[in-house]
Amino acid sequence: MADGDTTVAHSARMYDYVLGGTDNYPPDREAAEEALRVWPGLWTSMRVNRAVMRRMAHWLAAEAGMRQFLDLGSGIPTSPNLHEVGRRTAPGARVVYVDNDPVVLAHSRALLPDSPPGGTACVEADLRDPGALFAAPGLRDTLDLSRPVGVTAIAVLQFVEDAAGLLAQLVEPLAPGSFLALTTATAELARGSAALAEVYARREVPMHLRSRTEVAALLPARCELVEPGIVPMQHWRPEDGAEPVGTEESNMFAGVARLR
């Protein structure tokens, strides 16, 4: 992921373009258009991914009682974003968005309100360096790590080779009763996933596709999966009456785990 370099594609800005956003640059648009040509299902899959993020955020706030959230690899905001969903249940919820691209964060800070005062922060940090991430003043000023935190890693772990080792470091400072919610790409569902990963790799954004078993193995030992476990993201606690999404239109697994 090219931090702050607008001359090469960045996964967050590609994501923004496919979702209809305007906070992207020609290399992002070119890469996204190539990705859509090899797998048109990407358009639907990204929208399904945003929908499951919202369901997870609602569940974490309404069912799991989370009042603090840490969004890793947050990307450019689309509404409703995590802080909006969480605060429908918990108006005083505190949220930290983390991304390693200063361009992405500049857009995020311009778009995100500070409501309640001091309750939302955008932190420039690389999730692959947990020590620096958790030492960042914006994070420490907003979140109380002695209390449970709902951590979301949405569509980001496929860009990390040693995701298991990374998650072990990321959950180590978190209090018992915290939660980890994730979505990550796989080749087990949509047949176009491998071709999609090749497009990302050619654009200097390597994508690691994992099986359901491999996704489950990413979770540290202190994690306990909540129902329904690791499933295609459209099957994670779908809303009543939701429009069905076929496996050829979704290439990601989703899951939520509680930390002991």
Side-chain angles (χ1 to χ4, degrees), residues 52-208:
V52 75
M53 179 280 294
R54 292 191 290 269
R55 296 199 302 277
M56 288 173 164
H58 173 75
W59 186 88
L60 288 169
E63 303 296 330
M66 293 296 100
R67 298 297 181 262
Q68 302 188 107
F69 295 88
L70 176 61
D71 188 22
L72 302 173
S74 55
I76 296 168
T78 59
S79 186
N81 209 13
L82 190 150
H83 70 285
E84 296 169 288
V85 176
R87 286 175 184 158
R88 289 173 185 168
T89 297
R94 307 178 77 80
V95 181
V96 171
Y97 292 102
V98 175
D99 207 286
N100 69 337
D101 188 319
V103 176
V104 167
L105 286 169
H107 290 299
S108 298
R109 292 183 177 118
L111 293 169
L112 291 172
D114 187 23
S115 175
T120 306
C122 295
V123 173
E124 183 178 343
D126 194 321
L127 64 87
R128 294 166 295 187
D129 185 356
L133 188 160
F134 283 109
L139 189 150
R140 291 285 183 173
D141 294 343
T142 307
L143 303 181
D144 178 0
L145 296 183
S146 69
R147 302 179 63 82
V149 178
V151 178
T152 57
I154 305 300
V156 67
L157 294 176
Q158 64 261 33
F159 302 116
V160 180
E161 184 173 6
D162 182 19
L166 175 65
L167 286 178
Q169 296 178 66
L170 286 168
V171 304
E172 194 276 332
L174 300 178
S178 295
F179 282 82
L180 172 65
L182 63 86
T183 67
T184 193
T186 180
E188 287 192 342
L189 301 174
R191 287 171 290 183
S193 296
L196 176 70
E198 290 175 4
V199 171
Y200 273 72
R202 285 198 299 272
R203 300 289 180 156
E204 302 181 43
V205 190
M207 179 183 289
H208 305 279

